[in-house]
């Protein structure tokens, strides 16, 4: 049931996963799996304020500083794969939420979420950001395998500008400047966008 008196329409699993966003709180696997087994339908229930499902919440957790628990993601999708196909009020699928973690999660975690709902990779959120845009905006986005995965599955995103008129390469240049990883930059670069980005942020054209 919804937590008594709770104005955000949270079920117990929402509340427990929200606790995992606190770096001082460690989720206990037995509790999580017991809640999932008792009511798997909760995985498609959305709570306020931004209409997140439990999968959205756990995707943006940095549990124990080690990122998302991959077996837990797999278990959630086995219990209710429809959870991967629900947007929150920001227009983000769980795959988008996963790209908000710092550091960006590995491809081993991203792939099962993508496989459960492939449309997420080619869908922008309400700000015009695709998963690739969101990943490149993270300060510790240094996972070549994850970037390669995002680019390989939907390379068109590299040439799309978001609602702020920024292509993925411009987002990266704005955050990291000239010191960024060359392999990532080459993966998403478009010569016109890259030169514009360097010019916009006071760097030399490349």
């Amino acid at each position: 049931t919804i937590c008594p008196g709770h104005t955000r329409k949270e079920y117990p699993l929402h509340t427990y996963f929200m606790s995992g966003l606190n770096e001082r709180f460690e989720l206990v696997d037995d509790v999580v799996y017991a809640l999932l087994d008792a009511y798997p339908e909760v995985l498609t229930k959305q709570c306020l304020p931004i209409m997140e499902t439990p999968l959205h919440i756990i995707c943006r957790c940095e549990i124990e500083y080690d990122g998302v628990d991959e077996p837990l993601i797999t278990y959630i999708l086995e219990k209710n794969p429809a959870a991967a196909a629900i947007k929150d009020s920001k227009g983000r699928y769980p795959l988008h939420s996963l790209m908000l973690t710092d550091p960006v999660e590995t491809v081993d975690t991203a792939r099962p979420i993508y496989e459960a709902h492939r449309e997420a990779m080619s869908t922008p959120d309400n700000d015009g950001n695709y998963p690739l845009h969101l990943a490149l905006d993270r300060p510790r986005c240094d996972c070549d395998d994850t970037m390669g995965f995002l680019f390989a599955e939907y390379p068109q995103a590299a040439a799309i500008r978001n609602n702020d008129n920024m292509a993925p390469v411009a987002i990266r240049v704005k955050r990291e400047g000239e010191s960024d990883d060359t392999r990532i930059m080459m993966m998403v670069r478009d010569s016109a966008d890259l030169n514009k980005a360097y010019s916009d942020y006071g760097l030399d054209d490349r």
Side-chain angles (χ1 to χ4, degrees), residues 145-157:
D145 60 342
T146 303
M147 293 303 102
F149 167 68
L150 295 174
F151 183 74
E153 296 300 336
Y154 193 65
Q156 296 93 322

Side-chain angles (χ1 to χ4, degrees), residues 127-147:
D127 296 318
N129 291 312
Y130 292 76
L132 182 64
H133 292 75
L134 297 173
L136 287 166
D137 196 32
R138 304 313 301 158
R140 291 170 59 194
C141 170
D142 55 4
C143 302
D144 285 358
D145 60 342
T146 303
M147 293 303 102

